[in-house]
Amino acid sequence: MTDGPAAAAPTTDVIVLPGATSAQGIAKGAGDTFYCGDLYLGHIFRGDLKRGTAELFIEAPEGRMSMGLCADLRHGWLFVGGALGWAYVYDIQTGATVATYRLGTIGDLKTTVVNKVFVTRRGAYFSDTSSAVLYFVPISPAGELGPARTLPVTGPAADLSGEFNLNGIVAPDAGEPLIMSHTANGRLYTVDPATGASRTIEGLDVPNADGLVLEGRRLWVVQNWSNQVSRIRLSRDLMSGTVESVITHDLFQFPTTAVPFGDRLAVINAKADTGVRPTADEYEVVIVDR
């Protein structure tokens, strides 16, 4: 990806999600628009970075959850990782449900955590923090959604030693390789989207790695328990990287995901440090320079 035009300066560096009971994912929409999810209720909020406001946009049916989000602006879809075996697709104009996918089988449903999602020109890739797999939903040039399929991940990224494993997922403009974070071991990997084979990106130690932002060869890694975002310079072949700087903010409280707006990042606070379910009074997006 390449840098777009600089976004207008926001009116505030904190945007509250009114009425949210939890938070987890954030996706970039058109212009100054962003979308955030209420993790445990599944609701979707729509915000405006320039105005510094957010409001409830989609009231999800009972039983849904909302983890990672990614908007497909070509076709007007919002893809949502739905946690325990599920994923959802919404129309970003009307908020209507376009599709639901049951990605985990009956036998492993209780341990299938469908988390982050990233959309390429070929389709949407979902990570699973409890299993060494990727889920892929194809998207035709006309925007038609195909049946989901499961891709086993092999190599070092398939490590399942922690409670939360493969997590964040992004890809260059060409759509491959995928770049993924591993929360438990603090590593980053490239993953071949055709074969599932993985390789460690050398030279990096990013504890509590969660959501990712990629632009060109710069990668931002949100580190939840560490309350920071690391900016990384990747080598041209994506085989190694170097941490250039670390971004912090007094209001970071278990940040999980981020999206870019010009020279700034919009970072969402999940506040999972308050418990599972979290018990914070409010949830917000924090705007920082990147």
Side-chain angles (χ1 to χ4, degrees), residues 20-24 39-40 224-225 227 251-256 269-284:
T21 66
S22 57
Q24 177 73 200
L39 171 58
Y40 286 98
N224 49 43
W225 282 106
N227 286 318
L251 294 180
F252 278 172
Q253 189 175 351
F254 205 94
T256 49
N269 275 335
K271 301 187 178 181
D273 57 324
T274 64
V276 181
R277 302 183 174 188
T279 58
D281 291 333
E282 66 180 23
Y283 297 84
E284 64 280 316

Side-chain angles (χ1 to χ4, degrees), residues 48 63 78 143 174 200 209 214 227 251 273:
D48 186 295
L78 180 67
T200 304
L214 178 67
N227 286 318
L251 294 180
D273 57 324

